[in-house]
């Protein structure tokens, strides 16, 4: 699947894309059904919320479950990443951030490259983060917030926050966030199950606590161009995979899924908040 010229233009302008209907409800239901068993596993790849102890993020899923193994090779994800990168990509990180009902905690304002560079020695901000909503994401259950255009203002200064949540993250200070928001505003990335997001390594983003009675499971795969591989190996493999061989796109059989690969997905502009 290739992104249209309009989608490419929007990606370069805003730093992200929201693509509604990339996956169908049957696919997201089957992926969601795998989660309780995966979350019940006793593994360091299941990282729990600081307060409630509920799973916050379950990593390395393509190595733990066959359906997620197929998902990281799905042409609807791999091909746009190759197209935007202009070269083969490897699977850097695979997870579901579930943001549980009532207890899912915040992701602070950050851009991913600050962590990828500082922790893993990734040379350039060329990795791409692709999300698939495994259930509906609304204004209530902790959607991602994006600052459009923030990727064009150069990487903001970042510092390591090991206190706010259970997951150490290089974060952007409020004064820099305020400057970026003055220029670009904030967009809330909401949509029905099956919606996909694509965003780059220097886009500033965050998400609030989930106060609602609805979980917010989002699948995320980070692809990194093979020529931009990690140079430091201090974090566990499930956080940044050591296998930097190119991922090969898997095309779905015809008739499987609602849209197949023949019909282009319908792009959706996220509403401004
Ligand atoms: C979230 O799951 O809300 C944040 C994910 C991210 O920072 O990529
Ligand atoms: Mn992030």
């Amino acid at each position: 699947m290739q992104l249209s010229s309009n989608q490419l233009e929007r990606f370069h302008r805003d730093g992200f894309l929201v693509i509604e209907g990339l996956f169908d409800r049957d696919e997201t239901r089957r992926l969601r059904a795998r989660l309780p068993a995966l979350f019940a596993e006793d593994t360091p790849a299941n990282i729990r919320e600081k307060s409630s102890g509920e799973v916050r993020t379950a990593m390395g899923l393509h190595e733990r479950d066959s359906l997620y193994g197929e998902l990281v090779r799905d042409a609807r994800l791999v091909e746009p990443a190759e197209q935007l990168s202009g070269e083969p990509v490897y699977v850097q990180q695979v997870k579901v951030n579930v943001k549980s009902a009532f207890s899912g905690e915040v992701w602070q304002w950050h851009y991913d490259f600050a962590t990828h560079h500082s922790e893993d020695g990734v040379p350039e901000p060329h990795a791409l983060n692709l999300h698939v909503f495994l259930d509906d994401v609304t204004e209530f259950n902790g959607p991602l917030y994006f600052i459009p255009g923030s990727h064009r203002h150069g990487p903001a200064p970042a510092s390591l926050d090991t206190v706010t949540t259970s997951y150490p993250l290089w974060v952007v200070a409020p004064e820099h966030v305020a400057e970026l928001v003055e220029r670009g505003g904030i967009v809330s990335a909401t949509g029905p199950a099956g919606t996909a997001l694509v965003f780059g390594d220097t886009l500033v983003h965050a998400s609030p606590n989930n106060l609602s009675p609805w979980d917010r499971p989002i699948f995320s795969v980070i692809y990194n161009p093979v020529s931009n591989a990690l140079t430091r190996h201090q974090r566990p493999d499930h956080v940044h995979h050591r296998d930097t061989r190119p991922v090969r796109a898997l095309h779905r059989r015809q008739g499987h899924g609602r849209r197949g690969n023949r019909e282009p997905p319908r792009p959706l502009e996220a509403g401004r908040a």
Side-chain angles (χ1 to χ4, degrees), residues 129-149:
N129 201 334
L130 282 81
H131 286 191
V132 179
F133 296 175
L134 299 186
D135 210 337
D136 298 347
V137 178
T138 70
E139 64 187 292
F140 302 114
N141 63 351
L144 270 86
Y145 295 165
F146 291 137
I147 305 179

Side-chain angles (χ1 to χ4, degrees), residues 1-30:
M1 188 198 97
Q2 295 291 297
L3 299 172
S4 67
S5 55
N6 184 268
Q7 285 174 314
L8 290 173
E9 202 176 298
R10 280 190 294 124
F11 177 81
H12 292 300
R13 184 193 66 199
D14 298 335
F16 66 91
L17 283 175
V18 182
I19 308 171
E20 194 180 330
L22 190 61
F23 287 77
D24 67 40
R25 282 200 176 268
D26 188 48
E27 292 177 294
T28 55
R29 185 186 49 70
R30 285 189 292 118

Side-chain angles (χ1 to χ4, degrees), residues 91-112:
V91 174
Q92 173 173 324
Q93 188 186 79
V94 178
K95 60 188 178 288
V96 166
N97 289 344
V98 66
K99 198 163 281 211
S100 291
F102 297 114
S103 60
E105 292 175 29
V106 66
W107 286 83
Q108 312 93 303
W109 284 110
H110 71 283
Y111 56 97
D112 296 342

Side-chain angles (χ1 to χ4, degrees), residues 51-77:
S51 299
S52 66
E54 296 271 344
V55 170
R56 170 183 179 83
T57 180
M59 293 189 164
L61 292 182
H62 61 313
E63 294 174 343
R64 298 167 57 189
D65 182 281
S66 59
L67 213 47
Y68 286 93
E70 283 175 25
L71 187 56
V72 299
R73 294 187 293 135
D74 195 299
R76 290 167 291 181
L77 301 177

Side-chain angles (χ1 to χ4, degrees), residues 64-211:
R64 298 167 57 189
D65 182 281
S66 59
L67 213 47
Y68 286 93
E70 283 175 25
L71 187 56
V72 299
R73 294 187 293 135
D74 195 299
R76 290 167 291 181
L77 301 177
V78 175
E79 288 180 349
E82 289 173 336
Q83 184 186 4
L84 289 167
S85 301
E87 65 166 288
V89 295
Y90 72 93
V91 174
Q92 173 173 324
Q93 188 186 79
V94 178
K95 60 188 178 288
V96 166
N97 289 344
V98 66
K99 198 163 281 211
S100 291
F102 297 114
S103 60
E105 292 175 29
V106 66
W107 286 83
Q108 312 93 303
W109 284 110
H110 71 283
Y111 56 97
D112 296 342
F113 182 64
T115 299
H116 300 162
H117 185 65
S118 307
E119 301 291 336
D120 307 326
V122 171
E124 299 292 335
H126 296 157
L128 293 162
N129 201 334
L130 282 81
H131 286 191
V132 179
F133 296 175
L134 299 186
D135 210 337
D136 298 347
V137 178
T138 70
E139 64 187 292
F140 302 114
N141 63 351
L144 270 86
Y145 295 165
F146 291 137
I147 305 179
S150 52
H151 64 303
R152 285 190 270 105
H153 299 296
S159 61
L160 180 61
D161 179 354
T162 56
V163 176
T164 305
T165 75
S166 58
Y167 191 75
L169 196 65
W170 286 75
V171 303
V172 179
E175 58 269 26
H176 295 293
V177 173
E179 273 171 33
L180 291 167
V181 170
E182 202 164 309
R183 290 173 171 156
I186 302 179
V187 161
S188 166
T190 57
T195 299
L197 308 177
V198 183
F199 58 98
D201 225 18
T202 53
L203 184 78
V204 177
H205 57 285
S207 63
N209 290 336
N210 184 1
L211 295 176

